[in-house]
Amino acid sequence: MIAVVEGQPSSVKAFRSSIKEEKPSAAYVESIKARPLKPEGYGGFSIMESDAKANKPSMIPADLAVCKDCLKEVLDPESRFHLYPFNSCAVCGPRYSVIKATPYDRPNTSMDPFKLCSSCRSEYEDPKDVRRFHVQGISCPVCGPRVWLEDARGHRVAAADPLGEVGRLIAEGKIVAVKGLGGFHISASASDDRVVRELRRRKSRPSKPFAVMGLDLDVLGRLGVVSAAHRRLLESPEKPIVLVDARKGSPLSPEVAPGLRQVGLFLPYTPLHHLLLTGLKDHFAIMTSGNPQGEPMCVDEREAKDKLSPYVDFFLLHNRRIVNRVDDSVVRLTAGRPALLRRGRGYAPKWIELTTSIRSPAVCFGAMLQNAGAVGFGDKAVLTQYIGDTDEYSTSLELERYIQLLLKNYRLRPQDSTTVCDLHPSYPSTAMAERWSERYRSPLRRVQHHWAHLASVSAEHRIGGEVLGIAVDGTGYGDDGNIWGGEVLRFGTKGYHRLGHLEYQALPGGDLASNYPARMLASILSRFLSDGEIFRLYSTKGLLSGLPHGRQELDVILQQSQVAGISTSSTGRVLDAASALLGLSLFRSYEGEPAIRLEASSKRGMDRLVPRIRKGEVDVFDTTSLFQQLLELYRPEDAGPLAYSVQHAVGKGLALIALSKSRRNDVVLAVSGGAAVNTYLMEGIRETVRGRLRVITNVKVPPGDGGIALGQCALTDSGD
Ligand SMILES: [Zn+2]
Ligand SMILES: [Zn+2]
C-alpha cells in the first residue's frame, strides 16, 4: 500500500509510528519504507483506486473470523444488521474464500453481484466510519446475500428463520449440510450417540474424529479442558479447530472421537454459524467437512446436492459464491507449543518470508497426503491452502488449480520458473510436476522428502548455513531407494548429510504395512523371535485379527522379511508397531491413527526403555532392541506407561545421535516431520538436548507433509 502524507515533520513522524501502533488487530505490517516527496498542498483525505498495473505484488488476504463488534450488531435488535448472517467490517469477514483476483476490491470478489443499498453506501463513503469506510465486503439484510433451507430432495422448506430452524432440526437428530465460508460442513448433534453413529454409517467413516463447534468458551469448557494457551488459539482471528483433552463426564458422545483422549473444538467464525448454534438447545454440534471420503470439500450447491444428499436430511444454502475452497485449520499443542496440523482458513494463503531470495520463481508440488503446493518468488513463499490427499484424482486437480491461481495473482510465468517435486517416483504430485515441467519447459528439481521437511523449519526461522536436524516422519523416499522417516541430517540449501537413522526394518507389503500395523510388528519381531514364537504371540494376544488373512498372511510376512526387499527407517512405522503390540490399534482408518492412539493412551512416568545406538560413520538407533525390551516388560496393565516410554525413547535416541554428531558451533536443532506433533517424542528430544541445542520447529506451516512445499521453495536453487 502507498500512502502520501503531507504536513509538519513531527506529524508525519507521528503518522508513521501510528501505522504500527494503531493498526487494526487483523492487519499485518511487514515493513515500512519511506521517501521524501515535494509538497503538493493536499487538503484532505482520500483513497485512490487500486492500480491494477501496480508492480508490487499484493498479498492475497486470508479469511478473518467475525469480530466482537459485528457480532454485537447481529445480536442487537436495534441494529440494522440484526440477525444478519453475513455481517462483516474492516477487521473481519471473508477474504480469500471470496476473492477472484487481487487487489481485494469488491468487483474482484463474489460480493460483486450485491449492489450496495443507500445505508451501506453512505457508511462505505463516510471516512469517519472507522469500521465500514471503504470496506469492500460491506452488506446488510437489505442488499446482501440470503440464506434458505431445502430438504434432501431439493424442495424449499418454508422457514421465517432458517438458521433457527436448522438448530431445531439438529436438536431433533437430523443431519444438515451447511454452506459456510470456505465450503460445506455437515452438521449434526454431538451428544446423541445414535445420531453420531448414523452419521458415521452414512459417511462410511468408522472412527476418524469429528470436530465440534460450540457457541462460546463456556460451552467449549464443558466439553474439553481448555487451557489459557488453547483459549488464545480458539479466540484468535484465525479461529482454528483446536485439539483439547475431552472432559470426563462431558455431554459429548464418545462416538465423536472414539479411542482418543482429545477432541477438536472450535468457535463460530461467522455470524451464520453463531446464529445456527444459538438456535440449538445445548449450543454445540458436529461441524465436519462436507465431502465424500478423500474428496475435496464441496463448495457449490449443485456439487453439494450431488455428493452430500446420501449423508444429509437438509441443506442450509446461501447465494454468495465460494470462489476458493478453504478447509478449517487444525492446531494442537505439542509439548506446550502450538503446532499446525492443517493450514487452511485464516492462515492460507499468507506468504512466508524466506531466508534468502531465490533466483527464479518456484512452482512446488509438495508430497502426497494432506498436501499443499506453493509458489516462490524473491524472498517469498506462498503456500496454497490445505488441498488434501492428492492420491485422489479430484484432489490432485485442485492442487494444480490453486498453484495456477497463485501464479496468476503474483504475475509469475510458469515458463520462467523452476518446478520442484518430491524425490518419490510414484507420488501423483511427482507425475504432475513432470508433466508441468515438460509443458512449460521449466527445469525440474527433485528434493528429498526429509531435507525439505527440515528446510521448512530453517526457512521459517530464517536461519542460513548448515543446520542440524531430526526428521520424525511416516514415509519419505530416501536417496538409497528405501523408505526413510527417522533421520538425523546436517543440511543446508546446497545439500545434506545423513548422520544417523532408525534401524532399517523390512517393510512387508509397502502401503499394506501402514494400514495393518501388525504386519510391521511381525517384521520387527522376526529379528529376534522364531516363527513359532511369533505365531504363539499373535494367537494369544489377539494380534492375528490385525491381519485380514490371519495365519496365512503371517507366514507370508515372515517369509518376506527374510528376503531383501524395501526397508524402512520410518518413525511412524515403529510407533504403529508399538501401538499394535500394546493392543491399542490394529487397523489404520485415517492417516496416523495407530500412532495417535498410542499417544492418546500414554501415561507419563518412568522411562522404562533404553535406546541403544550403534555408532559408526552413520549412527543407527537399534529399534530391534527397543521391541525386545518392550516385549519383556509388556503386561496389559502397563500399556499406558509403556506407550509413553516408546515415544519418549524414540525421541531420546534420535536426539542422542544428533548430540554425538553435533559440532561446537551448532546451536539449534531443527525438528520436523509428521511425528513432530507427538508430545512425548518431542519431550524426549527436548529433554535430551536441553542446555546444549535450542530446538526449533514449524510454527507457520504444519510439520507434516502440508509444510513440505515451503521446504521445496527454500531449496529451489539447491544443487548448483
Ligand atoms: Zn467485524
Ligand atoms: Zn445494505
PDB file of all heavy atoms in Angstrom, residues 314-329:
ATOM      1  N   PHE A 314     -31.128 -32.337   5.258  1.00  0.00           N
ATOM      2  CA  PHE A 314     -31.461 -30.964   4.839  1.00  0.00           C
ATOM      3  C   PHE A 314     -30.210 -30.238   4.359  1.00  0.00           C
ATOM      4  O   PHE A 314     -29.085 -30.624   4.690  1.00  0.00           O
ATOM      5  CB  PHE A 314     -32.082 -30.173   6.008  1.00  0.00           C
ATOM      6  CG  PHE A 314     -33.434 -30.674   6.409  1.00  0.00           C
ATOM      7  CD1 PHE A 314     -33.558 -31.638   7.401  1.00  0.00           C
ATOM      8  CD2 PHE A 314     -34.589 -30.202   5.782  1.00  0.00           C
ATOM      9  CE1 PHE A 314     -34.797 -32.128   7.767  1.00  0.00           C
ATOM     10  CE2 PHE A 314     -35.833 -30.681   6.150  1.00  0.00           C
ATOM     11  CZ  PHE A 314     -35.942 -31.654   7.145  1.00  0.00           C
ATOM     12  N   PHE A 315     -30.462 -29.167   3.602  1.00  0.00           N
ATOM     13  CA  PHE A 315     -29.381 -28.291   3.158  1.00  0.00           C
ATOM     14  C   PHE A 315     -29.672 -26.861   3.594  1.00  0.00           C
ATOM     15  O   PHE A 315     -30.748 -26.344   3.300  1.00  0.00           O
ATOM     16  CB  PHE A 315     -29.283 -28.289   1.625  1.00  0.00           C
ATOM     17  CG  PHE A 315     -28.670 -29.530   1.057  1.00  0.00           C
ATOM     18  CD1 PHE A 315     -29.465 -30.634   0.758  1.00  0.00           C
ATOM     19  CD2 PHE A 315     -27.306 -29.605   0.816  1.00  0.00           C
ATOM     20  CE1 PHE A 315     -28.906 -31.787   0.227  1.00  0.00           C
ATOM     21  CE2 PHE A 315     -26.742 -30.750   0.279  1.00  0.00           C
ATOM     22  CZ  PHE A 315     -27.542 -31.848  -0.020  1.00  0.00           C
ATOM     23  N   LEU A 316     -28.715 -26.230   4.259  1.00  0.00           N
ATOM     24  CA  LEU A 316     -28.820 -24.799   4.506  1.00  0.00           C
ATOM     25  C   LEU A 316     -27.930 -24.114   3.466  1.00  0.00           C
ATOM     26  O   LEU A 316     -26.722 -24.328   3.435  1.00  0.00           O
ATOM     27  CB  LEU A 316     -28.345 -24.432   5.910  1.00  0.00           C
ATOM     28  CG  LEU A 316     -28.473 -22.916   6.125  1.00  0.00           C
ATOM     29  CD1 LEU A 316     -29.899 -22.554   6.509  1.00  0.00           C
ATOM     30  CD2 LEU A 316     -27.493 -22.398   7.145  1.00  0.00           C
ATOM     31  N   LEU A 317     -28.542 -23.297   2.613  1.00  0.00           N
ATOM     32  CA  LEU A 317     -27.806 -22.730   1.484  1.00  0.00           C
ATOM     33  C   LEU A 317     -27.796 -21.209   1.548  1.00  0.00           C
ATOM     34  O   LEU A 317     -28.613 -20.599   2.244  1.00  0.00           O
ATOM     35  CB  LEU A 317     -28.473 -23.180   0.174  1.00  0.00           C
ATOM     36  CG  LEU A 317     -28.548 -24.701  -0.003  1.00  0.00           C
ATOM     37  CD1 LEU A 317     -29.462 -25.062  -1.169  1.00  0.00           C
ATOM     38  CD2 LEU A 317     -27.162 -25.298  -0.194  1.00  0.00           C
ATOM     39  N   HIS A 318     -26.870 -20.595   0.831  1.00  0.00           N
ATOM     40  CA  HIS A 318     -26.904 -19.145   0.642  1.00  0.00           C
ATOM     41  C   HIS A 318     -26.401 -18.818  -0.747  1.00  0.00           C
ATOM     42  O   HIS A 318     -25.856 -19.682  -1.440  1.00  0.00           O
ATOM     43  CB  HIS A 318     -26.116 -18.407   1.740  1.00  0.00           C
ATOM     44  CG  HIS A 318     -24.643 -18.703   1.784  1.00  0.00           C
ATOM     45  ND1 HIS A 318     -23.779 -18.288   0.802  1.00  0.00           N
ATOM     46  CD2 HIS A 318     -23.886 -19.365   2.697  1.00  0.00           C
ATOM     47  CE1 HIS A 318     -22.545 -18.674   1.120  1.00  0.00           C
ATOM     48  NE2 HIS A 318     -22.579 -19.340   2.263  1.00  0.00           N
ATOM     49  N   ASN A 319     -26.622 -17.556  -1.156  1.00  0.00           N
ATOM     50  CA  ASN A 319     -26.322 -17.213  -2.552  1.00  0.00           C
ATOM     51  C   ASN A 319     -25.057 -16.373  -2.720  1.00  0.00           C
ATOM     52  O   ASN A 319     -24.947 -15.610  -3.663  1.00  0.00           O
ATOM     53  CB  ASN A 319     -27.524 -16.514  -3.208  1.00  0.00           C
ATOM     54  CG  ASN A 319     -27.909 -15.238  -2.479  1.00  0.00           C
ATOM     55  OD1 ASN A 319     -27.510 -15.031  -1.331  1.00  0.00           O
ATOM     56  ND2 ASN A 319     -28.675 -14.377  -3.132  1.00  0.00           N
ATOM     57  N   ARG A 320     -24.107 -16.512  -1.796  1.00  0.00           N
ATOM     58  CA  ARG A 320     -22.796 -15.917  -2.063  1.00  0.00           C
ATOM     59  C   ARG A 320     -21.866 -17.040  -2.538  1.00  0.00           C
ATOM     60  O   ARG A 320     -21.723 -18.056  -1.863  1.00  0.00           O
ATOM     61  CB  ARG A 320     -22.211 -15.262  -0.804  1.00  0.00           C
ATOM     62  CG  ARG A 320     -20.873 -14.544  -1.104  1.00  0.00           C
ATOM     63  CD  ARG A 320     -20.339 -13.839   0.119  1.00  0.00           C
ATOM     64  NE  ARG A 320     -19.870 -14.819   1.097  1.00  0.00           N
ATOM     65  CZ  ARG A 320     -19.770 -14.566   2.398  1.00  0.00           C
ATOM     66  NH1 ARG A 320     -20.113 -13.401   2.893  1.00  0.00           N
ATOM     67  NH2 ARG A 320     -19.344 -15.507   3.225  1.00  0.00           N
ATOM     68  N   ARG A 321     -21.260 -16.824  -3.702  1.00  0.00           N
ATOM     69  CA  ARG A 321     -20.423 -17.880  -4.262  1.00  0.00           C
ATOM     70  C   ARG A 321     -19.143 -18.054  -3.436  1.00  0.00           C
ATOM     71  O   ARG A 321     -18.536 -17.072  -3.020  1.00  0.00           O
ATOM     72  CB  ARG A 321     -20.063 -17.536  -5.713  1.00  0.00           C
ATOM     73  CG  ARG A 321     -19.328 -18.640  -6.454  1.00  0.00           C
ATOM     74  CD  ARG A 321     -19.445 -18.431  -7.959  1.00  0.00           C
ATOM     75  NE  ARG A 321     -18.450 -17.506  -8.490  1.00  0.00           N
ATOM     76  CZ  ARG A 321     -17.203 -17.867  -8.836  1.00  0.00           C
ATOM     77  NH1 ARG A 321     -16.818 -19.130  -8.690  1.00  0.00           N
ATOM     78  NH2 ARG A 321     -16.365 -16.986  -9.327  1.00  0.00           N
ATOM     79  N   ILE A 322     -18.762 -19.299  -3.202  1.00  0.00           N
ATOM     80  CA  ILE A 322     -17.457 -19.577  -2.589  1.00  0.00           C
ATOM     81  C   ILE A 322     -16.480 -19.735  -3.745  1.00  0.00           C
ATOM     82  O   ILE A 322     -16.592 -20.660  -4.541  1.00  0.00           O
ATOM     83  CB  ILE A 322     -17.508 -20.861  -1.739  1.00  0.00           C
ATOM     84  CG1 ILE A 322     -18.494 -20.678  -0.576  1.00  0.00           C
ATOM     85  CG2 ILE A 322     -16.114 -21.227  -1.218  1.00  0.00           C
ATOM     86  CD1 ILE A 322     -18.800 -21.949   0.196  1.00  0.00           C
ATOM     87  N   VAL A 323     -15.566 -18.787  -3.887  1.00  0.00           N
ATOM     88  CA  VAL A 323     -14.649 -18.810  -5.026  1.00  0.00           C
ATOM     89  C   VAL A 323     -13.508 -19.791  -4.770  1.00  0.00           C
ATOM     90  O   VAL A 323     -13.170 -20.612  -5.621  1.00  0.00           O
ATOM     91  CB  VAL A 323     -14.081 -17.401  -5.303  1.00  0.00           C
ATOM     92  CG1 VAL A 323     -13.176 -17.423  -6.528  1.00  0.00           C
ATOM     93  CG2 VAL A 323     -15.214 -16.400  -5.489  1.00  0.00           C
ATOM     94  N   ASN A 324     -12.925 -19.687  -3.589  1.00  0.00           N
ATOM     95  CA  ASN A 324     -11.811 -20.574  -3.250  1.00  0.00           C
ATOM     96  C   ASN A 324     -12.170 -21.438  -2.051  1.00  0.00           C
ATOM     97  O   ASN A 324     -12.587 -20.931  -1.013  1.00  0.00           O
ATOM     98  CB  ASN A 324     -10.555 -19.758  -2.942  1.00  0.00           C
ATOM     99  CG  ASN A 324     -10.129 -18.937  -4.138  1.00  0.00           C
ATOM    100  OD1 ASN A 324      -9.959 -19.470  -5.236  1.00  0.00           O
ATOM    101  ND2 ASN A 324     -10.009 -17.630  -3.958  1.00  0.00           N
ATOM    102  N   ARG A 325     -12.007 -22.726  -2.218  1.00  0.00           N
ATOM    103  CA  ARG A 325     -12.287 -23.665  -1.135  1.00  0.00           C
ATOM    104  C   ARG A 325     -11.235 -23.487  -0.038  1.00  0.00           C
ATOM    105  O   ARG A 325     -10.047 -23.439  -0.309  1.00  0.00           O
ATOM    106  CB  ARG A 325     -12.209 -25.084  -1.682  1.00  0.00           C
ATOM    107  CG  ARG A 325     -12.162 -26.163  -0.638  1.00  0.00           C
ATOM    108  CD  ARG A 325     -12.054 -27.543  -1.254  1.00  0.00           C
ATOM    109  NE  ARG A 325     -13.193 -27.824  -2.106  1.00  0.00           N
ATOM    110  CZ  ARG A 325     -13.174 -27.871  -3.417  1.00  0.00           C
ATOM    111  NH1 ARG A 325     -12.056 -27.683  -4.048  1.00  0.00           N
ATOM    112  NH2 ARG A 325     -14.261 -28.106  -4.099  1.00  0.00           N
ATOM    113  N   VAL A 326     -11.691 -23.323   1.186  1.00  0.00           N
ATOM    114  CA  VAL A 326     -10.741 -23.239   2.303  1.00  0.00           C
ATOM    115  C   VAL A 326     -11.271 -24.096   3.442  1.00  0.00           C
ATOM    116  O   VAL A 326     -12.321 -23.815   4.012  1.00  0.00           O
ATOM    117  CB  VAL A 326     -10.563 -21.799   2.831  1.00  0.00           C
ATOM    118  CG1 VAL A 326      -9.193 -21.648   3.481  1.00  0.00           C
ATOM    119  CG2 VAL A 326     -10.712 -20.763   1.739  1.00  0.00           C
ATOM    120  N   ASP A 327     -10.538 -25.132   3.775  1.00  0.00           N
ATOM    121  CA  ASP A 327     -10.924 -26.002   4.893  1.00  0.00           C
ATOM    122  C   ASP A 327     -10.581 -25.326   6.216  1.00  0.00           C
ATOM    123  O   ASP A 327      -9.707 -24.467   6.282  1.00  0.00           O
ATOM    124  CB  ASP A 327     -10.160 -27.326   4.817  1.00  0.00           C
ATOM    125  CG  ASP A 327     -10.672 -28.223   3.699  1.00  0.00           C
ATOM    126  OD1 ASP A 327     -10.294 -27.986   2.539  1.00  0.00           O
ATOM    127  OD2 ASP A 327     -11.455 -29.137   3.993  1.00  0.00           O
ATOM    128  N   ASP A 328     -11.249 -25.752   7.272  1.00  0.00           N
ATOM    129  CA  ASP A 328     -10.912 -25.250   8.606  1.00  0.00           C
ATOM    130  C   ASP A 328      -9.485 -25.671   8.960  1.00  0.00           C
ATOM    131  O   ASP A 328      -9.068 -26.779   8.654  1.00  0.00           O
ATOM    132  CB  ASP A 328     -11.873 -25.844   9.645  1.00  0.00           C
ATOM    133  CG  ASP A 328     -13.296 -25.347   9.428  1.00  0.00           C
ATOM    134  OD1 ASP A 328     -13.464 -24.153   9.145  1.00  0.00           O
ATOM    135  OD2 ASP A 328     -14.231 -26.169   9.522  1.00  0.00           O
ATOM    136  N   SER A 329      -8.753 -24.784   9.593  1.00  0.00           N
ATOM    137  CA  SER A 329      -7.412 -25.111  10.043  1.00  0.00           C
ATOM    138  C   SER A 329      -7.494 -25.905  11.339  1.00  0.00           C
ATOM    139  O   SER A 329      -8.471 -25.790  12.083  1.00  0.00           O
ATOM    140  CB  SER A 329      -6.611 -23.832  10.283  1.00  0.00           C
ATOM    141  OG  SER A 329      -6.463 -23.148   9.059  1.00  0.00           O
TER     142      SER A 329
END
